[in-house]
Amino acid sequence: MGNTIPVVEKKDFLKSFLKQYELKRRECAWLLNYLMSDDNLMEKVHFIEQAEQTPKSLVISAQGVSTIPFSFRKHQHVTTDAEKAFHDIRLNQTEEIYIELHFNGAKSYSLYLAVLEDNPYLPENQKRAEVIENEAERLLSHSLYMFTRNGF
């Protein structure tokens, strides 16, 4: 997956988020601060919805919402142990990390919306990507045809 959100925007969002919201588990704040401490790791971080569809994900909840406080999923393995998540992230720094955040006001929090990406593992997003790719290929083929037809 290509990185479309600049690291500085992700860090700005997380700093603001951690100031404004209290997480259900304080280890989650430590984990997010660890991610922010390394720009290379932050390049691998993607904020999405429905993270359970991804190969490696963190689900983190703030106080005031009725979702689970924390879970870490890697392939079919799921744990609520933030320390295991930290060690996996530390040891596998080239893997993409998909983070799903649950907090009040998420849909109107502009810094969050600015870093929120489409989940590439959802079937509807994969289909949309295929349609866009096919359209781009068609446009490129037509452009090449017109270019050669006009003798350039």
Side-chain angles (χ1 to χ4, degrees), residues 75-89:
H75 304 295
Q76 273 58 35
H77 303 294
V78 180
T79 183
T80 57
D81 185 344
E83 193 170 322
K84 286 183 181 178
F86 167 76
H87 288 298
D88 183 88
I89 291 168

Side-chain angles (χ1 to χ4, degrees), residues 18-69:
L18 289 170
K19 282 182 185 176
Q20 189 168 350
Y21 292 93
E22 182 182 349
L23 301 179
K24 288 184 176 182
R25 295 197 34 210
R26 67 177 178 213
E27 299 96 325
C28 295
W30 299 339
L31 193 53
L32 293 174
N33 278 305
Y34 171 72
L35 291 171
M36 279 192 294
S37 73
D38 186 332
D39 285 356
N40 292 326
L41 272 176
M42 283 304 291
E43 285 182 14
K44 301 290 184 184
V45 168
H46 306 280
F47 296 98
I48 61 165
E49 296 176 331
Q50 298 178 333
E52 70 278 356
Q53 303 291 327
T54 66
K56 182 175 179 173
S57 66
L58 300 170
V59 175
I60 298 172
S61 297
Q63 296 289 348
V65 294
S66 62
T67 53
I68 60 168

